[in-house]
């Protein structure tokens, strides 16, 4: 029984990290249809921002979260404004452009911060482990789980309970009609992309104390994030959450019974099979078109 | 709207008319621009000397082949730095018989195929008499045919899995017997006989574990689990659950690269105790510890021929020079040390030759049996197999990010690249298989 609970909590924790990384991508891909291959680099920028603020200004991880969100969001806004907004409705060019931006970011970080792995300190109060239902689990992992759910809730509220969110949903349904009602699509797109980038930055900062910080760290995350978004169904935030936790539990359990190499292969295979029979993902939102 | 539906319905579904928009010229332009970008990379230390082709011009050209970009650049950058430092020191002291060593630095971008291309360029195009390079076994295997066909010489500084007997490679890193012979019995003695073997999923950890299992058998240890995670893996929570359920006495880790950092940090966060279940590693160096933080590293063990804290006049000089040249926050480790002393071995070998005789095969023959005072102690190239006699040490990581050396070998240890394969010996004539 202990082992079952232990494994269940582990799956939740893996899922929460997947969710953290995927939310930003889900917003950008779902709302704007942009396949953002630089997403992993936004994650990486967040982690490096955490490192930089810690080394230069001695800021703890928790206090630096807001500045990190703003920094990476501002950077995302610039990318949208000066690169992607010129490539509207050109998906292939957008993929190439975001890929290029990603490579440039990697190299820029390598040239400025150096190529070695960097260290981000875990908040003192969260560095121990705690007992939940009789099993030991890292406090920081519990914190990540809570953080991912909070970010999800905030994003959901933003999309469904604010004017900006409403305008965005209007644009998603029909950009030209929304524009004719006075919605400034360019502005909304810029804000959306900035928000998605900011979330990616937060994700990078939050996972950095458990993982390693290097210029290439984003590559792995972007693949995971795409798996989550594609499996969950584009445009469905709830789908993203569900698929993150399903993938987390699934890879956790298979890794426990077999090993991580097998887990990775089986999870990918499962996604491929599912996409074959349900290309829209598990939770497709129905929208009149 | 068509476009919106396309976005909703799948991953790579593009709008109608997409094919029309992407003309061939556009595609060519895009790919060409991208290709140029990818292959050029960024400028780095770049010493070009295409017009001076031979050693006769008072210069000795050598290749330096460590990745400055890509995944393993994290560690290979430091190898590049240690190599250049040694070359600069030798040149500053007058070079070799008055000739300067000219390093031709190439960036193989962490990609084995690029390693082979750049190696060919250095050997055939630049006519280097030796190339110093590689961190991963994959990249060494990729360049091997180039050096064997051209009969040139490759100097490989990394600890590796052994089981190789090339006459065109000088191996200055440790092989399994030099890291494990002392380590495994010591661990059994101190902590117990149940071992959990965890490694990254490729040849190096599998060969090391192969040898480890032989030693465990010999010394009465047992394997509770043997497991491999994908390269670059960073989620170890299920692995840690297995540590908890199998309760080994020692976790024998051959996990490499950034995975080491994730494994240690998650082990620490999960509240496991290094005093009861320490990780014993062959690959965790000062470099990785700087990235994981002292608190996650403290209490775990590493076996290697060199640690930054080792006290010897040569090491003090090396560490001081390295920090002065590359920055006070930089660390030296067991691979960068080998990068450093192998240049000195190269110098000694070339010094023995007449200027007209400086060719790769002659350098190889001259380096056989050469000894030098390296930071770790006196090392020697074994004439039989071109591997290096080294000084095994066992150390425990401390919370200040450095190691504390607990055990030092009383004698240097002969390299046995085929220790795990009884009946096979690497000799001067090549691999000998006795039945």
């Amino acid at each position: 029984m202990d082992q079952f609970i232990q494994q269940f909590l582990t799956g939740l924790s893996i899922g929460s990290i997947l969710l953290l990384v995927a939310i930003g991508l889900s917003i950008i891909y779902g709302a704007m249809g942009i396949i953002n291959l630089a997403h992993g680099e936004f994650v990486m920028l967040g982690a490096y921002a955490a490192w930089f603020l810690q080394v230069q200004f001695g800021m703890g991880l928790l206090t630096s979260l807001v500045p990190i969100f703003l920094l990476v969001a501002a950077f995302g806004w610039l990318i949208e404004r000066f690169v992607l907004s010129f490539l509207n409705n050109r998906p292939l060019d957008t993929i190439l452009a975001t890929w290029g931006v990603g490579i440039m970011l990697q190299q820029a970080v390598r040239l400025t911060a150096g190529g070695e792995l960097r260290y981000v300190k875990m908040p003192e109060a969260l560095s121990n482990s705690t007992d939940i239902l009789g099993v030991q689990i890292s406090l920081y992992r519990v914190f990540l789980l809570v953080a991912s759910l909070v970010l999800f809730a905030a994003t959901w509220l933003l999309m469904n309970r604010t004017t900006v969110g409403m305008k965005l949903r209007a644009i998603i349904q029909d950009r030209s009609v929304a524009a004719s009602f006075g919605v400034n699509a360019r502005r909304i797109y810029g804000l959306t992309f900035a928000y998605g980038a900011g979330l990616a930055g937060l994700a990078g900062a939050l996972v950095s104390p458990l993982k390693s910080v290097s210029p290439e760290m984003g590559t792995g995350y972007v693949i995971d994030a795409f798996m989550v978004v594609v499996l969950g169904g584009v445009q469905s935030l709830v789908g993203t959450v569900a698929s993150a936790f399903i993938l987390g539990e699934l890879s956790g359990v298979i890794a426990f019974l077999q090993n991580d190499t097998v887990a990775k292969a089986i999870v990918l295979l499962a996604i491929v099979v599912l996409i074959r029979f349900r290309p829209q993902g598990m939770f497709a939102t129905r929208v009149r078109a | 709207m068509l476009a919106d539906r396309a976005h909703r319905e799948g991953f790579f579904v593009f709008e109608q008319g997409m094919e029309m928009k992407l003309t061939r010229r556009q595609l060519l332009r895009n790919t060409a621009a991208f290709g140029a970008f990818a292959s050029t990379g960024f400028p780095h230390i770049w010493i070009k000397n295409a017009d001076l082709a031979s050693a006769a011009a008072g210069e000795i050209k050598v290749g330096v082949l460590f990745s400055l970009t890509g995944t393993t650049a994290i560690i290979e950058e430091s190898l590049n730095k240690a190599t250049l430092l040694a070359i600069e020191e030798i040149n500053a002291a007058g070079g070799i018989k008055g000739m300067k060593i000219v390093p031709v630095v190439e960036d193989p971008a962490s990609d084995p195929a690029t390693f082979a291309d750049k190696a060919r360029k250095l050997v055939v195009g630049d006519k280097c008499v030796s190339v110093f390079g590689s961190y991963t076994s994959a990249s060494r295997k990729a360049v091997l045919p180039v050096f064997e066909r051209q009969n040139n010489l490759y100097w490989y500084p990394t600890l590796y899995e052994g089981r190789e007997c090339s006459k065109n490679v000088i191996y200055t890193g440790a092989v399994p017997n030099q890291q494990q012979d002392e380590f495994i019995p010591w661990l059994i003695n101190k902590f117990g006989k149940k071992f959990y073997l965890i490694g990254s999923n490729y040849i190096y950890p599998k060969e090391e574990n192969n040898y480890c299992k032989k030693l465990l058998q010999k010394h009465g240890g047992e394997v509770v689990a043997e497991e491999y995670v994908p390269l670059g893996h960073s989620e170890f929570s299920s692995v840690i659950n297995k540590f908890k359920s199998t309760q080994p006495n020692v976790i024998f880790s051959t996990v490499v690269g950034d995975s080491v950092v994730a494994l240690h940090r998650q082990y620490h966060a999960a509240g496991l105790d290094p005093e009861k279940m320490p990780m014993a590693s062959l690959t965790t160096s000062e470099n990785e510890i700087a990235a994981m933080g002292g608190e996650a590293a403290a209490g775990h063990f590493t076996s290697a021929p060199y640690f930054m804290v080792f006290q010897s006049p040569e090491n003090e000089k090396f560490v001081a020079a390295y920090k002065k040249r590359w920055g006070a926050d930089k660390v030296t480790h067991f691979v960068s040390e080998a990068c450093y002393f192998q240049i000195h071995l190269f110098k000694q070998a070339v010094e023995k030759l007449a200027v007209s005789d400086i060719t790769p095969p002659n350098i190889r023959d001259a380096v056989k049996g050469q000894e030098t005072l390296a930071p770790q102690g006196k090392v020697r190239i074994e004439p039989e197999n071109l591997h290096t006699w080294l000084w095994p040490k066992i150390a425990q990581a401390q919370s200040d990010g450095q190691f504390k050396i607990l055990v030092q070998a009383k004698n240097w240890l002969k390299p046995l690249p085929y220790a795990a394969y009884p009946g096979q010996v690497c000799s001067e004539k090549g691999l000998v298989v006795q039945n």
Side-chain angles (χ1 to χ4, degrees), chain A residues 23-39:
Chain A
I23 287 186
L25 189 79
S26 169
I27 292 289
I28 292 175
Y29 184 27
M32 302 168 68
I34 287 178
I35 296 176
N36 178 21
L37 290 183
H39 184 75

Side-chain angles (χ1 to χ4, degrees), chain A residues 91-119:
Chain A
L92 193 53
D93 295 346
T94 314
I95 293 177
L96 280 177
T98 52
W99 191 17
V101 166
I103 292 174
M104 284 191 262
L105 285 178
Q106 273 189 26
Q107 299 299 347
V109 166
R110 177 185 298 292
L111 286 173
T112 50
E116 54 260 68
L117 296 167
R118 292 300 181 182
Y119 165 66

Side-chain angles (χ1 to χ4, degrees), chain A residues 3 6-7 10 14 17 29 33 35 89-93 95-96 99 103-104 107 110-111 115-120 122 128-129 136 138 141 172-174 208-212 214 216 226 230 234-235 252 255-256 258-261 279 289, chain B residues 1 3-5 7-12 14-15 18 21-22 26 30 34 37 42 68-71 73-74 77 201 227-230 233-235 237-239 241-242 244-245 258 261-262 265-266 268-271 290-293 295 330:
Chain A
Q3 221 167 59
Q6 175 95 61
Q7 205 45 49
T10 298
I14 301 177
I17 292 174
Y29 184 27
I35 296 176
N89 295 323
R90 288 159 64 187
L92 193 53
D93 295 346
I95 293 177
L96 280 177
W99 191 17
I103 292 174
M104 284 191 262
Q107 299 299 347
R110 177 185 298 292
L111 286 173
E116 54 260 68
L117 296 167
R118 292 300 181 182
Y119 165 66
V120 176
M122 190 178 280
N128 294 321
S129 57
Q136 269 211 327
S138 148
R141 284 187 179 272
I172 295 171
Q173 292 220 353
D174 193 316
S208 58
L210 275 184
K211 311 217 167 178
S212 57
S214 72
E216 287 83 17
F226 268 113
V230 169
V234 180
Q235 282 185 7
F256 185 74
Q258 281 293 312
N259 60 53
D260 283 288
T261 313
Chain B
M1 290 284 290
D4 296 331
R5 188 181 298 157
H7 289 153
R8 276 198 303 281
E9 284 185 350
F11 197 149
F12 277 102
F14 302 131
E15 289 97 313
M18 185 63 219
K21 274 189 221 157
L22 185 82
Q26 224 174 340
N30 288 349
F34 187 74
F37 184 82
F42 273 80
L68 305 173
T69 55
T71 36
I74 290 160
E77 254 187 339
N201 198 3
E227 180 174 4
Y228 299 94
V229 297
H233 193 63
S234 68
E235 181 55 69
S237 38
S238 288
V239 169
N241 287 346
K242 281 189 258 188
K244 287 182 184 166
S245 66
D258 42 359
V261 177
R265 299 200 84 168
Q266 290 168 31
H268 180 68
M292 70 180 74
E295 75 279 358
K330 296 284 186 278

Side-chain angles (χ1 to χ4, degrees), chain B residues 394-405:
Chain B
I394 299 170
Q396 185 179 36
Q398 308 293 308
S399 50
D400 66 355
Q402 285 292 345
F403 282 95
K404 185 175 157 200
I405 299 175

Side-chain angles (χ1 to χ4, degrees), chain B residues 36-186:
Chain B
F37 184 82
S39 63
T40 333
F42 273 80
H44 44 82
I45 311 145
W46 187 272
I47 299 155
K48 217 170 179 131
N49 255 311
D51 48 334
L52 300 166
S54 70
E59 288 184 339
I60 300 170
K61 259 205 248 181
V62 297
V64 179
L65 194 58
F66 295 107
S67 304
L68 305 173
T69 55
T71 36
T72 53
I74 290 160
I75 189 107
E76 290 189 46
E77 254 187 339
S78 65
L79 310 185
N80 183 58
K81 286 178 172 152
T83 304
L84 292 179
L85 173 68
I87 293 176
E88 286 168 7
E89 282 181 357
I90 290 172
N91 284 342
I96 306 175
K97 290 179 165 177
M99 292 179 289
K100 292 259 179 284
I101 308 179
V102 177
V104 184
V105 178
E106 286 290 343
D107 174 17
S110 309
D111 170 42
T114 314
F115 262 94
D117 288 345
K118 299 284 183 187
R120 206 169 292 118
K121 184 236 165 210
L122 289 170
V123 171
V124 179
D126 293 322
K127 302 196 165 55
C128 294
V129 290
S130 276
V131 177
F132 306 91
S134 278
Y135 177 66
T136 64
S137 288
S139 65
R140 186 193 68 250
K141 296 271 186 207
V143 300
L144 211 54
V146 177
F147 288 90
E148 295 192 334
R149 192 163 311 138
Q150 303 294 334
N151 203 10
N152 207 297
L153 200 54
Y154 199 53
W155 299 66
Y156 180 62
T158 316
L159 58 126
Y160 86 114
E161 66 278 1
R163 214 184 175 186
E164 202 170 277
C165 186
S166 174
K167 295 297 128 194
N168 297 90
V169 182
I170 309 289
Y171 305 85
T172 53
V175 285
N177 77 303
Q178 292 172 312
Q179 283 188 287
Q180 293 195 37
D181 277 359
E182 196 147 356
F183 199 28
I184 301 296
W186 184 84

Side-chain angles (χ1 to χ4, degrees), chain B residues 180-181 183-189 192-198 208-226 248-252 280:
Chain B
Q180 293 195 37
D181 277 359
F183 199 28
I184 301 296
W186 184 84
L187 287 167
I188 292 176
N189 225 336
K193 58 190 173 93
K194 280 159 66 185
F195 276 54
Y196 194 114
L197 310 186
I198 175 139
E208 287 284 0
N209 283 342
N210 228 350
Y211 189 61
C212 177
K213 282 185 278 184
K214 280 193 181 307
L215 287 178
L216 285 176
Q217 214 172 17
K218 188 172 148 197
H219 296 284
E222 68 180 272
V223 179
V224 296
E226 180 178 355
N249 301 118
V250 176
I251 299 160
F252 186 72

